[in-house]
């Protein structure tokens, strides 16, 4: 049987799923790379009598490059299900047992690229960034949103009041937080109806806004819940993709009865994205969310806000907005410890085609939610106009107070 090592051979993006891993090991890295390729394709810890040359040559993974602690492993497309678009089996191949291999001290999936034959199995977003902008009548400026805070505890009436004040203060978006779905203190139907009334009132006052109702629940109930929430007036739904699964996003996005955008939260991702030497980087997750049909996705604050993350998230911007895949774009959501004083820095890194989003950075404003919304909207306007925030704050007191309260970067 030949080796899994095919070093120096050209990477075959057309017929293989190509993965980049970062490997930490005391073994010679070639050995570690072979162990990964074997475990994730046709091998195991020892030779086996049942593996013949034909299986090995047709389905064996190939290590095509080793540079320092980074290896490139490509998997034949025949290693993957032929059923129409199935992320679970893809992840079992590219991000499965390898994380537990005793031979490795650490291994991190840094990136993955799929051939057209697999990309074509997925439909991507129904709306995408452009569809969300069209619905909000906001063609160019960054979207600006909030997360209702406290993340749990407000009743439907006060949730709707928060949303109305946020919209009246100029925000384009708001959302449930990741832990709010259908608790007794805020039943999802009552919340959805109350928020819908607030959004209708804002629209009658000339302000278009979306609020994402969190429908994260068990797989066999999530489409039904989303249909109900839509019938109660929701203009956007939210799914926690890691806790619900990529299949949940895909089921909602591909269901013709769901006619509102899907805001994708990524809570729990930190369990495997945070360690730079072990786990899965955000980039593969971002690519899978776009394939499955998320219309907006949290990608962090490009190293500026509260959630740790390097500027490698810039690659997540490309994965959301790039034209290298046959799908609509995904609205990148920059959130997590955001406040007006860091909006300029985020927009400088991310550009205008993003959704800037703040919870504490709105609800924590000394003037209350509406003033907080005005403050961050003013920060976004300043960044869009290219006016330094300190300058813009001279004529915009809510921004001035926010800069005084939280400072700036
Ligand atoms: C942010 C918030 C979100 C985080 C999640 O609230 O509630 O859950 O954005 O992090 P606040 P990420 O603005 O008060 O920090 O967006 O990185 O997934």
């Amino acid at each position: 049987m030949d080796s899994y090592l095919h070093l120096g051979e050209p990477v075959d993006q057309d017929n293989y799923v190509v993965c980049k891993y970062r490997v930490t090991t005391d073994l010679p890295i070639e050995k570690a790379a072979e162990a990964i390729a074997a475990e994730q394709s046709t091998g195991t810890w020892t030779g086996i009598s049942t593996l013949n040359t034909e299986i090995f040559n047709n389905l064996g993974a190939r290590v095509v490059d080793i540079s320092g602690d980074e290896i490139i492993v490509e998997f034949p497309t025949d290693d993957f299900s032929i059923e129409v678009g199935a992320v679970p089996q893809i992840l079992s191949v590219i991000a499965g047992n390898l994380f537990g291999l005793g031979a490795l001290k650490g291994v991190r999936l840094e990136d993955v690229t799929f051939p057209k034959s697999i990309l074509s199995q997925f439909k991507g977003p129904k709306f995408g960034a452009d569809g969300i902008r069209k619905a909000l009548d906001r063609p160019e400026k960054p979207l600006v949103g909030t997360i209702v805070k406290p993340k749990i505890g407000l009743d439907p009436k006060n949730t709707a009041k928060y949303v109305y004040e946020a919209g009246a203060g100029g925000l384009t978006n708001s959302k449930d937080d990741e832990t709010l779905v259908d608790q007794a203190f805020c039943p999802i139907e009552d919340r959805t109806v109350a928020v819908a009334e607030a959004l209708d009132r804002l629209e009658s006052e000339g302000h278009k806004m979306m609020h994402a109702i969190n429908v994260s629940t068990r797989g066999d109930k999530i489409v039904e819940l989303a249909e109900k929430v839509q019938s109660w007036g929701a203009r956007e739904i939210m799914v926690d993709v890691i806790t619900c699964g990529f299949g949940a996003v895909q089921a909602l996005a591909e269901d013709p009865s769901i006619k509102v955008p899907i805001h994708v939260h990524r809570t729990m991702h930190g369990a495997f994205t945070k360690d730079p030497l072990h786990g899965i980087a955000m980039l593969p997750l971002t690519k899978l969310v776009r394939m499955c049909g998320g219309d907006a996705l949290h990608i962090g604050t490009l190293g500026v806000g509260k959630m740790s993350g390097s500027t490698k998230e810039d690659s997540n911007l490309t994965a959301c907005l790039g034209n290298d895949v046959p799908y609509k774009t995904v609205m990148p959501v920059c959130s997590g410890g955001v406040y007006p004083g860091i909006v300029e820095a985020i927009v400088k890194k991310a550009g205008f085609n993003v959704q800037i989003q703040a919870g504490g950075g709105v609800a924590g404003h000394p003037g209350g939610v509406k003033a907080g919304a005005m403050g961050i909207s003013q920060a976004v306007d300043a960044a869009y106009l290219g006016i330094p925030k300190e300058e813009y704050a001279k004529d915009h007191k809510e921004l001035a107070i926010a800069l005084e309260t939280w400072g700036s970067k």
Side-chain angles (χ1 to χ4, degrees), residues 49-71:
S49 61
T50 47
L51 176 58
N52 63 39
T53 308
E54 186 188 359
I55 293 172
F56 183 84
N57 291 339
N58 290 342
L59 303 180
R62 298 150 49 93
V63 181
V64 291
D65 188 66
I66 295 178
S67 311
D69 65 351
E70 287 191 344
I71 66 171

Side-chain angles (χ1 to χ4, degrees), residues 158-169:
N158 284 303
T159 302
K161 179 169 178 282
Y162 186 115
V163 172
Y164 177 77
E165 287 183 9

Side-chain angles (χ1 to χ4, degrees), residues 71-335:
I71 66 171
I72 304 289
V73 182
E74 53 184 31
F75 298 91
T77 48
D78 281 347
D79 288 11
F80 301 90
S81 298
I82 52 174
E83 65 183 278
V84 178
V87 171
Q89 191 268 338
I90 290 174
L91 284 175
S92 298
V93 174
I94 68 174
N97 287 355
L98 77 153
F99 296 120
L101 287 175
L104 309 179
K105 289 167 81 172
V107 53
R108 188 181 202 239
L109 173 61
E110 295 283 356
D111 194 5
V112 57
T113 49
F114 297 99
K116 287 193 177 67
S117 61
I118 288 187
L119 291 175
S120 63
Q121 293 180 9
F122 294 83
K123 294 190 168 68
K126 254 190 210 127
F127 295 86
D130 294 344
I132 291 176
R133 286 185 173 282
K134 188 160 174 258
L136 293 169
D137 202 8
R138 181 125 160 164
E140 275 183 17
K141 285 168 75 170
L143 305 185
V144 51
T146 188
I147 308 101
V148 176
K149 298 286 181 180
K151 61 171 67 180
I152 55 171
L154 297 185
D155 63 17
K157 181 166 163 286
N158 284 303
T159 302
K161 179 169 178 282
Y162 186 115
V163 172
Y164 177 77
E165 287 183 9
L171 298 194
T172 57
N173 298 77
S174 62
K175 66 182 273 294
D176 293 346
D177 220 340
E178 77 283 353
T179 56
L180 178 69
V181 180
D182 192 14
Q183 289 93 319
F185 59 80
C186 195
I188 192 165
E189 179 174 358
D190 299 346
R191 176 168 84 252
T192 305
V193 170
V195 166
E197 286 165 2
L199 297 176
D200 290 345
R201 185 179 158 205
L202 284 164
E203 188 154 10
S204 70
E205 294 163 357
H207 186 78
K208 285 192 177 174
M209 184 180 185
M210 271 183 201
H211 176 90
I213 298 283
N214 190 2
V215 296
S216 298
T217 189
R218 44 190 279 187
D220 60 340
K221 301 278 186 192
I222 196 163
V223 172
E224 180 191 353
L225 180 56
E227 285 169 340
K228 286 179 182 170
V229 152
Q230 188 176 250
S231 73
W232 297 328
R235 299 188 182 195
E236 189 178 25
I237 55 177
M238 173 170 132
V239 183
D240 297 336
V241 62
I242 307 298
T243 54
C244 290
F246 290 94
V249 176
Q250 194 175 12
L252 292 165
E254 294 183 5
D255 190 304
S257 69
I258 304 302
K259 302 181 191 314
V260 294
I262 303 167
H263 180 107
V264 178
H265 197 287
R266 57 178 185 170
T267 191
M268 196 165 86
H269 75 92
F272 37 82
T273 57
K274 189 168 182 176
D275 183 336
L277 297 179
H278 189 75
I280 304 172
M282 184 64 204
L283 184 55
L285 307 178
T286 300
K287 291 185 173 182
L288 289 170
V289 166
R290 186 170 180 183
M291 289 159 72
C292 290
D295 294 294
L297 169 67
H298 289 231
I299 62 159
T301 51
L302 310 183
V304 180
K306 80 182 176 189
M307 311 300 264
S308 63
S310 73
T311 48
K312 280 196 183 146
E313 284 155 337
D314 295 334
S315 55
N316 286 288
L317 274 174
T318 312
C320 285
L321 299 171
N323 55 14
D324 55 333
V325 290
Y327 312 119
K328 292 181 179 175
T329 55
V330 177
M331 178 57 74
V333 178
C334 293
S335 176

